[in-house]
Amino acid sequence: MNRQLRLRPILISIVAAMLAVSLKLSVAGAYSPYTTYYKDGYGQLVQIQSAYHPDGVIGRSPASALNQPQDLFVDEQDQIYIADTGNNRIIQLNEQGEFVRALEVQESPLNRPSGLYVAPGGDIYIADTGNQRVVRLAADGKLIREYARPTSSYLPDSFKYEPTKLVVDKRGFLYITTLGAFQGLLQLDPQGEFQNFFGSNKVEFSLFDAFKRLFYTREMYRRELSKLPGAIVNTAIDHNGFIYTVTKEIKQAQVKKLNIAGLDQLEHQGEFMSTGSKEARSFGEMAWGANRSSQPQLQDVTVDLNGNMTVIDSLSNTISQYDENGNLLFFWGGYDNAATSKLGLVKTPAAIAATSTGDLLVLDSVNGLVQKLRLTEFGTLVHQANKLTQEGRYEESETLWEEVYRQNAYYTPALIGLAKAAYKKEEYTNAEQLFFKAGINQGYSDAFWQTRLAWFQQNFALLMNILLLLALISYLFNRLTRKSKWRMDWQARVKSERPLLLQLKHIGYIMRHPIDGYHAIRYHDKAGTASSLIVLGAALLSFAFIQAKTGFIFNTDIYEGVKLGPLLAQFIFLWLGWTTANYLVSSLMRGEGRLRDVFYGSSYALFPIVFVGVPLTILSHAFSLSEQSIFGFLQMVMLIWTLLNFFWMVQGIQNYSVGEALLNIVLSLLALAIIGVLIFIFISLSGELVNFIYSIYQEVIIR
């Protein structure tokens, strides 16, 4: 056993030497073992230049040989501190990674120290997990005090005080991450008195939970396992006093930026995402080739002097970097081969820290080493430009963003930075184009509003004169031609229209008297096959027009392109399924409508899509997001009017009361769902049957 312990530093030195050789080769050949990506608000992956390059290995000397290290901290002088958990000590290295000293606290030995924090004054706080305490050391390593489990009536007896990570604010208050503490960070004052639980996560509430709340008895609830929020696994603090937390077992808001009141500053969507983005705010990206169906397992977060947050995923070994507002800048990483080691790829990342120059240090707990990642020219440009943009200095950032854009024309933050600079200079048309290319509808709307305002200011008088002139011409035309012979002949011709036109005009009667109008379709032949097909075709084309031509401000999907084929197929399937299901159900419920009547009525019920949807789609190109409430209201009018038409259709054609019509619709929707399931099963079994017949054919051919 002793021999193995003596050999361990030698083996680690050999591994470090191999990594160092790998570094020299990679630098010489400009090779990076990972690929860097950017993901925009639509989830599209774009490969970009490397933001960080591997730059060396720290912790190679025998004196600083690490054994299962768990935490890493860089102070204001770029001194590096490592929680050497397996060796029960704290290692201090200088900015070059050279060994300075080892802190073991001889007067009260450490036991599995898992986290540490170095205050600006030099005091060292250690999460001494094995001893269930927090230790505070002076800059010279002398023990100042211990923070044992606080005594407070607000702490439940079941609370386990096993500190794993911690930070300390400017007041000297401690924020401690304890093992499995779902209540949040344990907040202690400088004297070690319990103050509060800070930054706890919320419990996710699902539809099944709502069902249980509605139907479960109190006894059934008692038998249920308690549903707990995700436990915080790590924490960090920046120079402005914001406290960051990292949580593994949740799908959104894995990283929180908390102010002194415990409010999350990253709660809302970032400005690099479109307002209509369907994706919830989450952190931790999955590298290309990784299992992106898996949930990120974030291990640590660090914040540099510019406020950029960098998180590391222990599942995919991916490093993701965000700016101070939570907007993604870039991410990179990949899986390392178990048999070999490559510089830049970490087998089991335990912690990450940023230096004063923006470089990153990543702690590899398996190899017991610290890998250094240095900012590239591209990464430095992005940091400098984005910092100016975040501070509102858009024109100063323009030159830097132009260089970033020159290097990568698909990098969305560069487009947004240039768009903001153009907006600041009142170049609104250019800003519109850049925001559109970036896929950011909020910025596009702001620039469009300014363009629209300028157009109205220049053309309002002309527009009003044209409208007044048209009104005057219309009045004079009606006044002068009221008794003319050609007008009387035209009116007589209109009254003797063909049946098809009369059937189409019946839509106007349905708009005024819906129940009587549908009743007339059944008993007075006010609709026919041709007119119904025309209305159905117009509704189908209008639906396609709405999906593909609604303005970018209200339909960000057009940025990626709308696939009309599947949407139209769903529309036709639902309409045919409804028609069939409603006729079958009505036959069982003694309805008076025939199949053709249901067909005619279901076609005519779609006319609001044409009458409201098409003009609204055209108007969407004249609206900005400030008129979103108007746009949404008109959309709701179209939807409710269409649904009411189907209700009135059932009531009028089948000659039902209100209650009978409601029951008919419910049963029709149930029948529609059953038809869908049967079609799905039939298609699945048909595929299996084809495969079976083909396998028999192959057997016969082979024999």
Side-chain angles (χ1 to χ4, degrees), residues 280-307:
R281 186 71 176 269
S282 64
F283 297 88
E285 316 302 328
M286 301 300 283
W288 189 267
N291 183 11
R292 282 174 285 174
S293 63
S294 301
Q295 186 175 316
Q297 300 294 313
L298 301 187
Q299 182 65 32
D300 194 12
V301 60
T302 185
V303 186
D304 63 22
L305 294 179
N306 290 325

Side-chain angles (χ1 to χ4, degrees), residues 616-665:
L616 184 59
T617 300
I618 296 172
L619 282 175
S620 69
H621 294 272
F623 284 168
S624 67
L625 277 178
S626 58
E627 290 90 34
Q628 188 173 19
S629 58
I630 301 174
F631 183 82
F633 172 76
L634 294 176
Q635 276 189 321
M636 187 62 64
V637 167
M638 179 184 70
L639 177 62
I640 293 176
W641 194 7
T642 303
L643 294 177
L644 287 174
N645 265 291
F646 277 97
F647 173 76
W648 291 325
M649 182 272 296
V650 172
Q651 192 176 3
I653 286 180
Q654 305 298 343
N655 199 17
Y656 283 154
S657 64
V658 173
E660 290 173 329
L662 287 173
L663 179 61
N664 178 278
I665 290 174

Side-chain angles (χ1 to χ4, degrees), residues 113-182:
S114 301
L116 59 94
Y117 175 84
V118 181
D123 287 358
I124 304 169
Y125 294 80
I126 303 171
D128 193 9
T129 308
N131 289 324
Q132 299 182 0
R133 63 176 181 172
V134 170
V135 175
R136 180 181 178 183
L137 306 180
D140 59 4
K142 291 183 179 180
L143 178 64
I144 297 178
R145 69 172 301 158
E146 299 179 3
Y147 296 89
R149 188 187 193 278
T151 55
S152 173
S153 58
Y154 295 102
L155 277 178
D157 295 335
S158 59
F159 177 75
K160 294 183 178 180
Y161 183 67
E162 297 183 24
T164 55
K165 311 292 178 186
L166 80 160
V167 294
V168 182
D169 66 14
K170 296 177 181 178
R171 303 170 299 168
F173 279 65
L174 286 75
Y175 299 82
I176 303 170
T177 302
T178 56
L179 195 61
F182 59 87

Side-chain angles (χ1 to χ4, degrees), residues 4 10 77 98 104 109 113 157 168 198 252 263 265 280 300 370 408 441 458 462 487 524 548 622 690 698 702:
Q4 292 178 350
I10 300 174
Q77 286 74 40
E98 299 168 344
E104 297 182 353
D157 295 335
V168 182
F198 185 84
Q252 286 90 37
L263 300 177
Q265 307 302 295
D300 194 12
V370 178
N408 194 317
N441 60 343
Q458 294 175 2
L462 177 62
R487 185 169 179 178
H524 302 291
V690 170
Q698 285 184 317
I702 292 173

Side-chain angles (χ1 to χ4, degrees), residues 467-486:
L467 291 176
L468 289 174
L469 180 61
L470 291 175
L472 179 62
I473 292 173
S474 176
Y475 172 77
L476 293 175
F477 177 80
N478 290 327
R479 186 80 175 175
L480 297 175
T481 63
R482 183 171 49 185
K483 297 182 179 181
S484 61
K485 183 177 182 302
W486 68 268

Side-chain angles (χ1 to χ4, degrees), residues 285-558:
E285 316 302 328
M286 301 300 283
W288 189 267
N291 183 11
R292 282 174 285 174
S293 63
S294 301
Q295 186 175 316
Q297 300 294 313
L298 301 187
Q299 182 65 32
D300 194 12
V301 60
T302 185
V303 186
D304 63 22
L305 294 179
N306 290 325
N308 299 315
M309 305 175 293
T310 308
V311 297
I312 191 161
D313 188 344
S314 61
L315 177 65
S316 64
N317 300 340
T318 302
I319 301 175
S320 307
Q321 188 168 93
Y322 306 84
D323 70 11
E324 60 183 329
N325 293 317
N327 302 304
L328 178 66
L329 296 178
F330 14 69
F331 67 98
W332 66 94
Y335 291 99
D336 195 7
N337 192 318
T340 61
S341 295
K342 290 183 180 179
L343 192 70
L345 298 180
V346 183
K347 290 185 181 295
T348 308
I352 188 169
T355 67
S356 60
T357 59
D359 297 337
L360 297 175
L361 302 178
V362 184
L363 180 63
D364 188 337
S365 62
V366 169
N367 287 327
L369 298 169
V370 178
Q371 296 201 33
K372 185 176 182 180
L373 306 177
R374 184 177 295 277
L375 267 171
T376 63
E377 178 188 357
F378 180 78
T380 303
L381 276 172
V382 170
H383 281 188
Q384 293 174 349
N386 192 63
K387 183 62 176 177
L388 292 173
T389 298
Q390 297 301 319
E391 293 174 352
R393 298 154 64 183
Y394 304 123
E395 293 175 282
E396 294 180 46
S397 69
E398 186 174 18
T399 304
L400 296 174
W401 281 129
E402 285 176 347
E403 177 59 24
V404 174
Y405 181 75
R406 186 191 66 79
Q407 295 187 26
N408 194 317
Y410 298 97
Y411 188 56
T412 302
L415 294 170
I416 297 173
L418 291 172
K420 288 185 174 183
Y423 187 91
K424 180 70 174 179
K425 296 190 295 184
E426 299 184 359
E427 299 174 358
Y428 300 121
T429 303
N430 186 29
E432 272 186 64
Q433 296 172 352
L434 289 168
F435 277 124
F436 178 80
K437 191 174 181 180
I440 308 300
N441 60 343
Q442 178 64 64
Y444 178 89
S445 173
D446 294 340
F448 171 75
W449 192 91
Q450 295 289 348
T451 304
R452 187 182 65 180
L453 178 63
W455 186 88
F456 270 111
Q457 289 174 340
Q458 294 175 2
N459 300 281
F460 181 78
L462 177 62
L463 185 63
M464 289 296 100
N465 290 333
I466 292 174
L467 291 176
L468 289 174
L469 180 61
L470 291 175
L472 179 62
I473 292 173
S474 176
Y475 172 77
L476 293 175
F477 177 80
N478 290 327
R479 186 80 175 175
L480 297 175
T481 63
R482 183 171 49 185
K483 297 182 179 181
S484 61
K485 183 177 182 302
W486 68 268
R487 185 169 179 178
M488 296 176 65
D489 292 341
W490 176 77
Q491 290 175 344
R493 192 180 303 116
V494 169
K495 293 181 180 179
S496 60
E497 288 173 336
R498 296 178 181 178
L500 177 61
L501 295 178
L502 291 174
Q503 290 173 351
L504 292 174
K505 286 184 64 177
H506 187 63
I507 295 175
Y509 184 80
I510 291 176
M511 294 172 65
R512 298 190 301 273
H513 310 285
I515 298 178
D516 292 340
Y518 287 113
H519 190 270
I521 290 178
R522 168 65 181 87
Y523 293 101
H524 302 291
D525 296 327
K526 292 296 184 178
T529 303
S531 63
S532 300
L533 288 175
I534 290 174
V535 176
L536 178 62
L540 189 64
L541 291 175
S542 299
F543 177 76
F545 181 72
I546 293 169
Q547 296 298 319
K549 295 300 180 181
T550 298
F552 170 71
I553 292 174
F554 303 102
N555 182 23
T556 55
D557 289 340
I558 66 173

Side-chain angles (χ1 to χ4, degrees), residues 24-38:
K24 292 179 180 179
L25 292 174
S26 64
V27 172
Y31 167 76
S32 180
Y34 45 75
T35 306
T36 304
Y37 292 95
Y38 173 78

